[in-house]
Amino acid sequence: MTQMIMTVVFPSIILPFFILSILLVQMIGAEVNDEKTTRGMEIIISNVSPKTHFISKMLASNAFILLQGILLIAYAILGFGIRMSTSSGDVSNLFGADVWTMISDFLKSDVGMNVINLIPLILILMIITFVAYSLLAGVLASMTTNIEDFQQLQTPIMIISLVGYYLAIMAGMFDGSLFIKIFAFVPFISAILAPSLLVLGQMTMIEFIIAIVIMIIFVLLLFKYGLKIYKVGILNYSSKDLWKKMFKAVKNG
C-alpha cells in the first residue's frame, strides 16, 4: 500500500508544488533585479511606498503561480477527457492495466478517501508556503544588484526544497522515523513533507494543523522583519557585505 500511495499521490501533488515554488523564487528575483538594473526601482519608489511595492510584488507573483497551478490541472483534465474519447471509454488504456488497477484500488481504499478529504488542508499549507517563498525571494532580491548575486543567495532556498523533496520520497521507506517527522514541522519543508506523512498515516490531523500554524507564524515574522530589509535593499546598489547589511537593517528597523 505504501508503494501505491507514493506512486499515485507524490507525482500528482508534491512534484508540481516543487516545480512551481522554484519558478516563483526565480521569477521574483528576476523582476526585482531587472527593476534595479534599469533604475526603474527609483521611479517606482518615488510614487509608492516600499511596503506597497513589496506587497504588490508578492500578490502578483502568487496570483501568477496559482493561475499556473489551475491551468496545469485544467490541462490534465482536458488531456484525460481527450484520451478517454479516443480510447472507447476504457480507462485502463490510459495508464496500462496494472497501473490503473493500482490507482483504482487506491481510490477505493480508506486511504484514498482520506486523501480526497485532506486536499483542502494540503492546499492551504501549500498556498501559505508559496507566500513565504515570495517574501523570502523578494527580501533576498532586494539586497542584490544583478541576477548572478541573487542566484547565489537563492541556493539555500533550493537546498531546503530539495531536502523536503527527498525526505518525502524516503518517508515511505522509513516508516515512523522521528527525524523525518520533526522536519515535517520546519517551514518550507513542511509543505512538501507533511502532506506525504499525512497521507501515509505517519502524521495526525492535529499535527498537520500545527504545521500550518507554524507556517503562518513564520510568514508573519518574515513579513515584519523582511520588510525592514526590503526598504533598505531596494535602493542599495552595492553588492558588498550583503548579509551584514541585512542584519543591520533588521536591527535599525
Side-chain angles (χ1 to χ4, degrees):
M1 178 63 73
T2 298
Q3 182 181 0
M4 181 173 62
I5 291 173
M6 298 309 294
T7 301
V8 176
V9 177
F10 188 83
S12 60
I13 298 179
I14 305 302
L15 186 57
F17 170 81
F18 178 73
I19 295 173
L20 289 175
S21 62
I22 294 176
L23 175 62
L24 175 63
V25 171
Q26 294 178 342
M27 180 180 66
I28 294 180
E31 289 182 358
V32 173
N33 274 281
D34 181 66
E35 291 172 355
K36 293 187 67 173
T37 302
T38 59
R39 293 297 193 272
M41 185 67 74
E42 298 176 2
I43 300 175
I44 295 173
I45 298 304
S46 64
N47 292 279
V48 298
S49 66
K51 181 178 180 179
T52 301
H53 184 263
F54 190 44
I55 294 176
S56 62
K57 187 70 65 177
M58 178 193 68
L59 293 178
S61 58
N62 278 278
F64 175 80
I65 289 299
L66 292 177
L67 179 60
Q68 293 298 310
I70 294 173
L71 289 176
L72 181 63
I73 296 173
Y75 293 150
I77 295 175
L78 178 62
F80 185 84
I82 294 175
R83 181 61 176 166
M84 279 285 293
S85 63
T86 58
S87 61
S88 303
D90 188 357
V91 184
S92 62
N93 291 334
L94 298 176
F95 310 99
D98 294 338
V99 176
W100 174 246
T101 300
M102 183 183 298
I103 295 175
S104 179
D105 292 342
F106 170 75
L107 294 176
K108 293 177 182 178
S109 66
D110 294 336
V111 177
M113 294 304 297
N114 288 336
V115 171
I116 296 175
N117 295 330
L118 294 173
I119 285 178
L121 277 178
I122 294 175
L123 290 177
I124 289 174
L125 178 58
M126 288 183 173
I127 291 174
I128 296 172
T129 306
F130 277 140
V131 175
Y133 270 117
S134 62
L135 290 173
L136 184 58
V139 171
L140 294 178
S142 68
M143 298 301 296
T144 59
T145 56
N146 53 65
I147 194 64
E148 288 78 14
D149 290 340
F150 175 73
Q151 288 175 348
Q152 293 179 4
L153 288 180
Q154 77 172 359
T155 300
I157 304 177
M158 299 298 101
I159 293 176
I160 292 174
S161 298
L162 284 173
V163 168
Y165 183 80
Y166 285 114
L167 285 177
I169 295 177
M170 294 186 294
M173 296 183 288
F174 298 95
D175 188 7
S177 172
L178 180 61
F179 175 81
I180 294 179
K181 191 170 185 178
I182 291 174
F183 268 88
F185 296 96
V186 177
F188 296 115
I189 295 178
S190 62
I192 299 178
L193 183 56
S196 299
L197 295 183
L198 186 63
V199 170
L200 291 170
Q202 300 180 27
M203 173 177 275
T204 65
M205 180 74 70
I206 299 299
E207 291 172 336
F208 191 82
I209 294 176
I210 292 174
I212 295 178
V213 173
I214 292 175
M215 196 66 228
I216 292 175
I217 295 174
F218 179 79
V219 167
L220 294 176
L221 292 175
L222 186 59
F223 178 79
K224 178 181 179 181
Y225 295 103
L227 182 60
K228 298 176 181 179
I229 299 174
Y230 192 81
K231 290 178 179 179
V232 175
I234 52 177
L235 296 179
N236 180 19
Y237 296 95
S238 173
S239 59
K240 184 179 179 181
D241 298 329
L242 292 178
W243 293 106
K244 184 183 295 184
K245 294 175 183 176
M246 289 184 184
F247 291 122
K248 185 178 179 180
V250 172
K251 182 178 179 180
N252 295 338

